[in-house]
Amino acid sequence: MGSQDQGGNELDVVVIGAGFAGLYMLHSLRKAGFTVRVLEAGSGIGGTWYWNRYPGARCDVQSLEYSYGFDEDLEQEWEWTEKYATQPEILAYLEHVAERFDLHRDIQLDTLVTAATFDEGTNSWTVETEAGDRLTSRFVVAATGCLSSANVPDIPGRDSFEGPTYHTGRWPHEGVDFTGQRVAVIGTGSSAVQAIPIIAEQAAELTVFQRTATYAVPAHNEPLDPELVTEVKARYREVRAANRLAMAGFGALSTLQPGGTSALEVGEDERERLLEERWQTGGLGFLGAFPDTLLSPEANEVVAEFVRAKIRSIVKDPDVAELLCPKQVIGCKRLCVDTGYYETFNRPNVRLVDISTSGIEAITPTGVRANGTDHEVDVIVFATGFDAMTGALTRIRFEGAGGRTLADAWSEGPKTYLGIGVAGLPNLFLITGPGSPSVLTNMVTSIEQHVEWITDCLTYLRAGGHERIEADPAAVEQWVAHVNGIAGFTLFPTCNSWYLGANIPGKPRVFMPLPGLGPYVAQCDAVAANGYEGFLIDAHRHAGTPLAAEAKGAEAVS
Ligand code: NA7
């Protein structure tokens, strides 16, 4: 079913990106008998874990859960060393996976995809790279990652700074030595929360510029207990299956049951006990103490106030503690998981600058100006996040049927069906695209579910002799309304988060991920079981396109 690349090779699928998603997509499609080429912009595989090498970079989902479940031998043989794996360990894992499944031979590194154009005559894509290479394939899978388009804000004078600047998501491979340096960190999201305690230990002075205070709960990271590892490995199938049914794609290892009683209905002592228990356990499960934390502002405030009290008890200077206390709903922005973040502000070499009112005024040749004060520094670290979920996709010029581009289709915000298909862009599949649970979940769980769904879909199309599939515009409209409806039921849209696109000036404000993995997986399964309901299969053949004359056995499913 493939078409040809320039070298004359038959290619069924081009996959863009060689992170967790692209690697498994390649393996899964190859196993199903498809020919695949993976194009990766980096000089190595690993995606997020290739680029994000800042000090302290670590996953905040437990390593035993943040790992592939598709191969039993792999999951039995690989040994994680810590509860939460470091970036180097995760990258080593992905390198091992690539070696183990002989993936490198179909991965082309240092290859930035700039455009992809769909040819309606041949029902195939031509993918173009920055170097000018062109490959053609029947299908394209965008495994481009949700947090891969770095956001370096356009602050006045940004390029005038005379010292080095770094973005956490584009960290130099050789590392950075901050010894004796005066360092500015801009941003206080997850990356900053992980990096700040480590930079503070090295730097002569550290100045943190905080636009929005962040909630962080302790990681309580530790070496993995061999007994726990043995126990989990003995029931790994059950763990993986439970996570796929869970709301956030993880939690099967938790010793704490999700809370069943409203934060407003349990007594005050019991409320404190439940929250303290979760604080001592650590990690993202903290938000699971009550069922209504992300649904009721009053319930949320109770949980938020518990964390603020912790911050006040940790940070010695009451004025600094107050500045570090977030005002927004807890969980509205991604909850951070920390090791010594708040404690760092007790160090004599660390200063917090509140820029919540007027932002950073300017970057000067020698530092950062805020609130009318010039802060002289030697180095600036931008921990300013990403053009999340859409940035890595819209920077590629995808041109679909009738010259319609992805940027056109998404001018008012991303619109997809299931977070997988885009109307007007046939034979293009997104992995963990906007409109799917993605960033609200353990990404590996969501990635595996999408990879397997896409592989099944392509297998179905091949079996039926079909050449083209696309999301039905009506199904897309319904799906967008569905995602908005669910998000609107929660407190997620109440703050300026990157989930909403609010961190990027001019980006349409649309809540992009879909809360709730378990129900979503059931919907995806039902769509497949109903012959890919909501997708149009070879529908153009009925629609009077040049191929209409050939229409034979084509079907439209909607
Ligand atoms: P985040 O979570 O987007 O954090 C970025 C931080 O940078 C956040 O505190 C922002 O403040 C701040 N920021 C962004 N732009 C500016 C400007 N122009 N001026 C000052 N401060 C700014 O990115 P991370 O890399 O930390 O984490 C991303 C995800 O990776 C994380 O959620 C995990 O899923 C893993 P704001 O809150 O917008 O006011």
Side-chain angles (χ1 to χ4, degrees):
M1 72 189 299
S3 46
Q4 296 202 331
D5 74 0
Q6 261 188 344
N9 300 314
E10 286 288 314
L11 272 184
D12 295 321
V13 188
V14 165
V15 175
I16 308 172
F20 263 98
L23 294 177
Y24 181 33
M25 193 77 250
L26 167 59
H27 177 63
S28 175
L29 287 173
R30 253 185 8 195
K31 230 172 126 182
F34 294 97
T35 54
V36 189
R37 178 82 51 84
V38 179
L39 306 180
E40 165 58 54
S43 301
I45 63 156
T48 290
W49 302 104
Y50 173 85
W51 296 104
N52 285 268
R53 297 171 188 242
Y54 59 85
R58 189 184 281 284
C59 186
D60 49 19
V61 173
Q62 292 188 43
S63 48
L64 287 169
E65 294 177 287
Y66 190 84
S67 47
Y68 290 123
F70 68 80
D71 187 275
E72 291 194 34
D73 292 339
L74 169 67
E75 69 185 1
Q76 290 298 324
E77 288 167 27
W78 181 263
E79 297 291 347
W80 296 103
T81 61
E82 293 178 78
K83 183 173 177 183
Y84 297 101
T86 60
Q87 174 270 330
E89 191 169 27
I90 300 173
L91 192 56
Y93 170 74
L94 290 173
E95 287 288 359
H96 168 80
V97 169
E99 289 293 324
R100 187 176 184 118
F101 298 107
D102 190 22
L103 301 182
H104 281 292
R105 68 182 156 88
D106 287 321
I107 301 173
Q108 201 172 308
L109 300 173
D110 295 310
T111 304
L112 181 72
V113 172
T114 52
T117 310
F118 188 72
D119 180 336
E120 298 212 66
T122 59
N123 285 322
S124 63
W125 284 95
T126 300
V127 178
E128 290 172 54
T129 73
E130 194 179 36
D133 292 338
R134 292 158 77 91
L135 286 82
T136 60
S137 62
R138 173 77 64 226
F139 300 100
V140 169
V141 177
T144 38
C146 294
L147 295 164
S148 48
S149 177
N151 166 41
V152 182
D154 192 12
I155 297 168
R158 186 187 69 189
D159 299 329
S160 70
F161 185 66
E162 286 168 355
T165 62
Y166 306 101
H167 186 281
T168 48
R170 291 285 178 276
W171 205 257
H173 287 199
E174 62 280 12
V176 180
D177 182 5
F178 292 107
T179 309
Q181 304 279 297
R182 295 167 305 167
V183 183
V185 171
I186 301 177
T188 52
S190 286
S191 303
V193 162
Q194 291 185 333
I196 281 169
I198 295 173
I199 296 175
E201 281 173 15
Q202 275 184 16
E205 288 172 22
L206 170 61
T207 310
V208 176
F209 293 86
Q210 172 185 275
R211 187 164 72 178
T212 310
T214 196
Y215 294 97
V217 295
H220 298 309
N221 187 37
E222 58 191 5
L224 271 174
D225 171 5
E227 271 183 38
L228 171 73
V229 174
T230 306
E231 186 265 317
V232 170
K233 286 187 172 179
R235 61 179 182 99
Y236 237 145
R237 297 277 52 73
E238 179 201 316
V239 167
R240 305 290 192 192
N243 278 346
R244 206 174 275 201
L245 293 176
M247 291 304 273
F250 68 93
L253 304 186
S254 176
T255 48
L256 301 170
Q257 294 300 313
T261 310
S262 163
L264 304 171
E265 283 166 18
V266 292
E268 206 177 317
D269 288 352
E270 177 63 358
R271 200 160 69 196
E272 282 294 304
R273 191 192 67 74
L274 287 169
L275 288 169
E276 186 62 33
E277 184 179 41
R278 282 180 188 258
W279 184 267
Q280 295 307 334
T281 303
L284 296 168
F286 179 77
L287 287 178
F290 309 109
D292 50 353
T293 303
L294 274 163
L295 301 177
S296 148
E298 295 77 19
N300 190 282
E301 179 57 17
V302 166
V303 180
E305 195 49 34
F306 177 90
V307 179
R308 292 187 203 116
K310 288 288 184 191
I311 296 170
R312 292 180 188 118
S313 74
I314 296 168
V315 180
K316 292 185 181 135
D317 181 327
D319 295 335
V320 176
E322 230 33 60
L323 286 178
L324 287 168
C325 282
K327 309 285 180 292
Q328 74 275 10
V329 156
I330 186 170
C332 182
K333 293 189 180 214
R334 176 74 147 65
L335 183 64
C336 297
V337 178
D338 82 298
T339 300
Y341 174 65
Y342 297 120
E343 288 83 346
T344 299
F345 293 91
N346 292 331
R347 293 178 66 104
N349 66 333
V350 175
R351 198 168 17 164
L352 180 67
V353 177
D354 171 32
I355 53 163
S356 58
T357 318
S358 45
I360 290 173
E361 283 160 44
I363 290 179
T364 68
T366 55
V368 180
R369 186 178 304 147
N371 309 323
T373 303
D374 280 308
H375 301 268
E376 304 264 304
V377 294
D378 304 309
V379 184
I380 299 177
V381 173
F382 288 96
T384 43
F386 302 89
D387 182 356
M389 304 203 71
T390 56
L393 292 164
T394 52
R395 71 184 170 186
I396 298 171
R397 186 183 158 78
F398 282 104
E399 189 177 320
R404 179 180 165 86
T405 65
L406 184 67
D408 292 340
W410 287 5
S411 61
E412 292 164 5
K415 292 183 175 180
T416 69
Y417 179 45
L418 303 176
I420 296 175
V422 183
L425 291 146
N427 294 2
L428 171 67
F429 295 87
L430 313 180
I431 298 186
T432 61
S436 74
S438 59
V439 292
L440 297 177
T441 71
N442 172 356
M443 288 300 291
V444 185
T445 314
S446 286
I447 283 168
E448 289 195 310
Q449 184 249 339
H450 269 184
V451 164
E452 288 160 19
W453 192 95
I454 292 167
T455 304
D456 288 348
C457 179
L458 295 197
T459 305
Y460 172 91
L461 295 174
R462 180 177 58 191
H466 304 299
E467 290 189 347
R468 176 165 158 166
I469 183 168
E470 59 210 288
D472 182 341
V476 170
E477 288 308 318
Q478 279 173 17
W479 189 255
V480 169
H482 171 68
V483 175
N484 284 333
I486 303 238
F489 192 61
T490 71
L491 299 176
F492 279 122
T494 63
C495 70
N496 290 328
S497 68
W498 57 255
Y499 298 141
L500 208 54
N503 61 328
I504 303 295
K507 188 166 173 173
R509 296 213 177 180
V510 175
F511 192 79
M512 294 183 284
L514 168 71
L517 180 65
Y520 168 81
V521 171
Q523 280 170 304
C524 288
D525 289 348
V527 164
N530 291 332
Y532 296 90
E533 187 176 13
F535 287 91
L536 307 173
I537 295 179
D538 288 343
H540 61 294
R541 296 194 177 187
H542 299 296
T545 66
L547 286 180
E550 301 170 21
K552 243 190 278 165
E555 58 185 291
V557 188
S558 58

